[in-house]
Structures are given as structure tokens and as C-alpha cells.
Amino acid sequence: MRALARYTTIVIVFIAMSGCKTTYNADTTPGNELQKEGAVVFVRPDKYSILGTRSIRDYIEVAYEQIGANEAGYPEVAIGLRNRGGQHFWDVKGPSVQLSVQTAFYNSPIQPKGAASGPAVYRTNWQTIKLVRGQTFDYKVVCPVKGANYYQMTLSEYLK
Amino acid sequence: MRNIKGLTVSFFNRSYSHTVSVLLVTGATLCLTMISGCATPISTGTSHTTILAPDEDDRVGGSFIESSDIRTVAQQVCSEVLTLPQVDKSSKTLNIATDRIKNSTRYMVDTDVLLRRMRLDLNKYSQGRLRFFANDSGQNTRTRILRERSQTDVEKTLDDAASYIASSKVIQSAEKPVRIAVKPTVNTNLFNMNADSFASLLRTKIKEKAEAKVLFAQAGSNTAVDYTLTGEFFVQSTKTEGVANTMEDLKWAQNNPDKYYDINDNTQNNTVYGNQVNLDASGRRIKIGPNIIYKAIDPALWNSPNATQWFNIMLVDKDGMAVLEKGIKLEEQIKSGQEKADYILTGEIGSLSKGGEGRRSDYVLITLNLIDPVSNEILWEYGYEVKRVTTRSVLYQ
């Protein structure tokens, strides 16, 4: 009985201790994951099926990517986004795609640590692009903050 | 041996039951510990409302512009405007006046949202190189502040004017105390404004400053005086300004019965009808008396005129010549400030709408431009277009 009482006490102390903890450490993004991210990234597909995914990467390719400064010296990113159509035997046609694009500008290099390792100086809203099959869209973003010459563009499925 | 055996069995039985109890307690403990440790995050969801990112599609339907379009326009306009050579290379702060964006679509939407969102970005990223004028917000308080400041300034101006007269040669070099009469001031193009109170205030201040050097005659007395203090109350305007005042109106009507009252038995239900002489000298048959509706005469007369008001004070000698004269600004006109605007930012939303078989589509074109107010030239023009089709028409507001 004494042993039982001892164990019960230990249990109560255990429970009380675990209950007292009100905060927990948040997980941080692994640095090696961030390092892998490039200047133009696609958001992970939101749907997986037996044959393929709903990945925009399956249909969209980056035709060109340029960073420079416009005539007033503001950073300007120009990117050619092309809907190359279906590339799989189960979908050779491919859909017209609606994209949401957000561009973040940084005033320090995004590599080697990765773009998300520091705060963006300027971030656009999620801008909608419609790409019909075969179309190349010349997407251009000007950052209203001078000197923010590093960027990361995130392409996602249409936000809904 | 049996006994010993029995004891042994009994000992083992007791030992076994004790172990089971301990295991049970330990198991329960671990379960409880795990349960309490499995903290689930608090529910941040609300029962009836979902928070959306401003760029997110709300799935409500509709084929007109969305919040994401407004944000995209604002982002692009901000970058483009700041890039303009007229803005980027300007050495001074540019003042931008905004005009309401014309809505030429079939939707009743508040186009000020677009204007405000653009202004937000431009103000944030121009870093003080662009300044906008407040059109609606804060205007009542602004008027009150300026009026109050104006009142404070009047006191100082009256002080200055009194010092000017008291320290003038006319007063200071006189051998005997200068005798001054105060003559009622004249209203030039201001009506129903009491200028006499200013004259009285000024008289008091002159007396305070000049002390025994001046003597003021009682109002209305025929005492012989050296000078007359008089003035003129006028407004910096090409037309007559004033405040509609029912009391003044009735007083004037009583003093001028032939001019004002309709003597042809037109009184009905205690309401007297008469011919009102309007500010623009036109005549008008209106109600006067107990049921007077003064706003009907001219709504602009209901409020104090927003014009710069002056009080011109004069010291006139016996020959009717003004020996001293000074203008006092009593109230400054409250301006919008837009006279300083370098450019006008405005635009238009147009659409091409179609509907049929339960589907509706809209092609929307948003154009924005920067206009030079002097030359009326369009300095820059921006266009944003979007086309949407929906099976669910919605109400936009």
C-alpha cells in the first residue's frame, strides 16, 4: 500500500509538471531546406492522385528570368511564364492555368542561407495570372524600394 | 514442507498481486501523463466567419473586380508613379490632388477604395516625396481648428492696430488729448456681420495704450471732436457674402413695411408672404414671419461665408480725410490647399458586360492617369484589365 501511495504521488507530480508547461518551442525551418530554394519557386501541389498531381510545375515552365533596374533605378524582375500544356501520357492536352504569384524583394543576397532566412524589404500581393495553353506571359514586377536587388518569386495555384 | 509450501505460495500470490497493482498504477500514470502532454492547439476558427487573405478568392461569385485586383493595381501604380522621371527626378515634394475615380460600370461600387489603397502604397514608399490632400477626412475638425486660430490671431491683430494708432504721430505729437468719436462701421459686401463690436474693442485697446493722450466721445453725442474712428468691414470676394439671419430679416421687414410685407392681403395661416430682395438683386416671393424658411432663400447663406474677411480701420479728420488707415484680417478663407497641387491623380473604371443562360461576364478596364492641372496634359496613364465569367451573380457595393 505504501508503494501504491508512492507511485500515486509520483503520478500526481508528473501530471502537475506536464500541466505547468504553457509554452513550447516553435519549430524552425531547417537551414538546409531553405538553402535549396531558388529565386523562382512553385508551391507544393495541393492535390495528389494515383496518376500524377495537380502540380502547376507539370504545366508551367519559366521561359526566361531577368533581374535589373529600370530607368529610375528601381529593381525590376521580368519573368516569362509559359503554359507548355500536358506532358504526360494521361494528360497530353493540359489545362489553362490560373496562378497566384507573389514576389518578395530583399536587400541582401538570398543565398547561401535561402530567401526565407530574413525579412523581405518589399512583398507584392498575390497577383493573379491566367495562362491559356501555349501562352507565354511576360510578368514584370518593379520594387518601389531601391537597392532591394534580390528576390524570390513564389508561384502557387490560384488562391481560393 | 506443506506449511512451508503454503507460505511460499501465499508469498508468491501476495507478491504477484502487488506487482499487478504497481503495473496498473504505472500504466494509468503513463496514460494520464501522455493525455495531459498531448496538448492540442486552441481552436482559432470562428463559428460563422472565416478570415481570408485579402488576395484570396472568396468563392461568393461575381464577375467584377475583386480585392486582389485593387491590391494589384495599387502595387503596380505605386511602382510606376515612383519611376516617372517627373517624380523620381523632382527635387521638391510633389503635391498630388486626387479626384474621384469615375465609375462607368453597371456596378455600384465605392471607387474611393481603389484611390485610398493606391494612396496608401504611394505614401508608404515615396518616403515623403509625394503629398496628398485630404478631401473628406478630418475636414470638420480642420475647419474648427482654423477658425479658432483665426480668432486668436484677430486679438493679436487688434492689438497691433491699436498700437499703430496709439503710437502714431497724430496722437503722440498732439499737445492736448486727441478727441475721437467712433462712427459705426460700414459693411461693404458683407451683410448681417457685426463690425461695430470690433470697432468697440479697438477703441478700448487704443485707450489702454494711449492712456490720457486720447479721449473718446460717447456714442451718439454731438461733442466736437478732432478725429473720427471709423472703418469698413468687407470680404475678399467679388460677390456679397453673409449669413442668413432670421432676426435681422424680420427687423428689416418691420423697418421697411412697404418694401417687405405684402400688403395685398396675402396673409395665410399666420404666414406672411412678401417679396424678398435676394443677394443677386433678383426678387423672389417667399414666406416670411413665423414660418419663414430661410434656407429656401439661398442655402449658401446658412453658414458663415468661407471668405477672407477684412476690417479696414480709419482715423478721419474734420475734413473727412483719413489720416491713418490700417487693414485687419479678421478671418482667413479656409482653402482646400489644392491650389498647390502639381498633379491630379484620377481615373475611370469601365466595363463591357454580357449575360445569358445563367452566366454573366465582365471585361473590366481600370485606367488611371496623372494630369498636369495647368496644361491639362495627361502625364502618365495606366491600364489594368481583367475578364471574369460567373454562374453566380452577386451584389457589389
Side-chain angles (χ1 to χ4, degrees):
Chain A
M1 280 306 285
R2 248 190 313 181
L4 190 66
R6 200 161 56 232
Y7 279 113
T8 312
T9 311
I10 292 167
V11 168
I12 292 164
V13 169
F14 232 128
I15 295 168
M17 277 171 73
S18 63
C20 282
K21 196 171 180 183
T22 54
T23 56
Y24 296 86
N25 289 332
D27 288 337
T28 49
T29 317
N32 58 341
E33 292 292 324
L34 286 178
Q35 281 171 22
K36 290 177 196 167
E37 289 184 4
V40 180
V41 290
F42 289 101
V43 170
R44 194 173 169 157
D46 66 349
K47 187 180 174 184
Y48 293 85
S49 60
I50 297 166
L51 287 176
T53 63
R54 197 163 70 185
S55 171
I56 48 174
R57 197 175 162 186
D58 289 350
Y59 308 103
I60 305 300
E61 59 188 6
V62 177
Y64 62 88
E65 185 187 336
Q66 293 168 352
I67 173 88
N70 66 9
E71 58 270 31
Y74 289 99
E76 185 179 275
V77 172
I79 186 169
L81 294 169
R82 186 166 67 170
N83 183 349
R84 59 183 172 178
Q87 301 291 315
H88 305 290
F89 73 88
W90 64 86
D91 181 13
V92 290
K93 193 180 169 191
S96 292
V97 178
Q98 286 186 100
L99 297 176
S100 288
V101 184
Q102 189 180 60
T103 315
F105 288 86
Y106 303 85
N107 52 14
S108 56
I110 61 168
Q111 289 299 346
K113 287 185 173 178
S117 61
V121 176
Y122 179 75
R123 202 180 285 274
T124 66
N125 65 312
W126 285 98
Q127 301 185 353
T128 311
I129 294 173
K130 170 82 181 193
L131 281 170
V132 296
R133 208 159 56 92
Q135 185 194 357
T136 301
F137 190 92
D138 298 305
Y139 181 68
K140 195 168 75 173
V141 190
V142 178
C143 173
V145 181
K146 284 184 180 173
N149 297 321
Y150 308 94
Y151 72 98
Q152 186 180 55
M153 190 178 283
T154 310
L155 290 97
S156 165
E157 291 109 356
Y158 179 60
L159 291 185
K160 57 186 175 183
Chain B
M1 191 68 189
R2 240 169 103 185
N3 283 341
I4 292 166
K5 218 176 184 178
L7 277 170
T8 312
V9 168
S10 163
F11 170 77
F12 274 113
N13 279 346
R14 263 215 324 263
S15 175
Y16 175 75
S17 64
H18 177 73
T19 310
V20 168
S21 303
V22 168
L23 282 172
L24 278 172
V25 171
T26 312
T29 307
L30 285 170
C31 281
L32 279 169
T33 312
M34 282 170 73
I35 290 164
S36 67
C38 290
T40 50
I42 54 159
S43 172
T44 51
T46 47
S47 56
H48 300 291
T49 309
T50 304
I51 296 169
L52 295 177
D55 293 316
E56 228 175 327
D57 193 323
D58 52 26
R59 298 185 180 204
V60 174
S63 54
F64 194 49
I65 54 170
E66 299 288 336
S67 55
S68 63
D69 297 311
I70 289 170
R71 286 163 59 83
T72 302
V73 169
Q75 190 275 317
Q76 293 177 350
V77 164
C78 176
S79 303
E80 286 200 23
V81 168
L82 293 179
T83 299
L84 286 171
Q86 289 86 345
V87 175
D88 184 56
K89 293 189 168 48
S90 175
S91 54
K92 68 177 187 89
T93 301
L94 295 172
N95 295 308
I96 313 277
T98 52
D99 199 358
R100 185 174 286 272
I101 293 172
K102 188 181 170 191
N103 180 11
S104 306
T105 68
R106 65 193 172 101
Y107 298 100
M108 298 288 286
V109 291
D110 179 12
T111 55
D112 274 356
V113 175
L114 177 57
L115 208 54
R116 284 193 203 116
R117 189 63 185 77
M118 286 191 296
R119 212 174 56 196
L120 210 67
D121 272 10
L122 285 167
N123 268 327
K124 186 175 180 183
Y125 294 106
S126 71
Q127 295 181 318
R129 283 181 294 146
L130 298 179
R131 282 275 181 269
F132 291 87
F133 296 97
N135 288 337
D136 301 318
S137 52
Q139 293 309 293
N140 288 338
T141 308
R142 177 179 178 249
T143 305
R144 194 164 60 246
I145 289 168
L146 293 181
R147 290 247 188 267
E148 284 178 14
R149 279 186 190 168
S150 176
Q151 301 247 323
T152 312
D153 290 344
V154 165
E155 285 173 29
K156 191 180 173 302
T157 320
L158 274 171
D159 258 350
D160 292 345
S163 299
Y164 172 73
I165 292 169
S167 61
S168 66
K169 277 186 183 173
V170 175
I171 308 290
Q172 292 300 324
S173 12
E175 291 173 0
K176 291 190 293 181
V178 178
R179 290 171 302 167
I180 302 173
V182 180
K183 194 180 162 190
T185 51
V186 180
N187 277 328
T188 304
N189 59 344
L190 260 168
F191 84 106
N192 281 345
M193 290 289 180
N194 185 7
D196 291 342
S197 59
F198 288 100
S200 304
L201 198 59
L202 183 66
R203 187 193 66 200
T204 313
K205 284 186 181 290
I206 292 170
K207 182 66 185 164
E208 279 174 9
K209 289 176 194 299
E211 295 178 341
K213 286 274 183 186
V214 292
L215 291 171
F216 280 99
Q218 190 188 1
S221 69
N222 293 321
T223 316
V225 292
D226 305 313
Y227 297 99
T228 307
L229 184 72
T230 187
E232 196 180 6
F233 206 37
F234 66 97
V235 65
Q236 205 168 303
S237 168
T238 52
K239 58 176 190 171
T240 307
E241 305 272 1
V243 182
N245 186 315
T246 311
M247 289 301 290
E248 288 292 323
D249 181 62
L250 291 172
K251 197 166 74 183
W252 189 85
Q254 281 166 358
N255 294 335
N256 304 277
D258 297 338
K259 291 180 185 174
Y260 208 74
Y261 285 112
D262 190 338
I263 54 170
N264 298 323
D265 196 22
N266 271 346
T267 304
Q268 296 167 2
N269 303 327
N270 290 329
T271 302
V272 182
Y273 289 84
N275 294 319
Q276 169 70 46
V277 180
N278 290 331
L279 292 177
D280 58 359
S282 62
R284 192 175 184 180
R285 188 176 148 78
I286 57 150
K287 286 188 226 176
I288 58 167
N291 298 317
I292 190 163
I293 305 168
Y294 222 86
K295 267 187 181 176
I297 301 168
D298 184 353
L301 298 179
W302 198 244
N303 299 313
S304 180
N306 182 23
T308 305
Q309 292 165 30
W310 287 87
F311 183 44
N312 191 36
I313 194 78
M314 287 185 292
L315 202 61
V316 182
D317 66 10
K318 287 173 187 168
D319 301 327
M321 303 300 288
V323 291
L324 281 176
E325 194 166 354
K326 191 166 177 70
I328 302 170
K329 196 186 279 184
L330 295 176
E331 203 166 288
E332 187 85 56
Q333 182 185 13
I334 298 170
K335 294 179 178 176
S336 71
Q338 296 195 3
E339 62 185 21
K340 292 188 291 178
D342 297 294
Y343 301 109
I344 304 163
L345 178 65
T346 186
E348 185 173 350
I349 305 177
S351 73
L352 182 68
S353 305
K354 287 198 298 182
E357 296 180 346
R359 286 155 63 90
R360 281 193 170 274
S361 90
D362 281 289
Y363 162 72
V364 184
L365 177 64
I366 301 173
T367 52
L368 296 159
N369 37 52
L370 213 56
I371 301 166
D372 186 317
V374 179
S375 65
N376 204 24
E377 289 171 341
I378 296 175
L379 182 75
W380 159 88
E381 192 153 28
Y382 163 88
Y384 176 86
E385 51 189 357
V386 65
K387 187 174 182 180
R388 286 194 176 90
V389 63
T390 186
T391 51
R392 191 191 288 172
S393 288
V394 296
L395 180 68
Y396 285 90
Q397 279 183 324

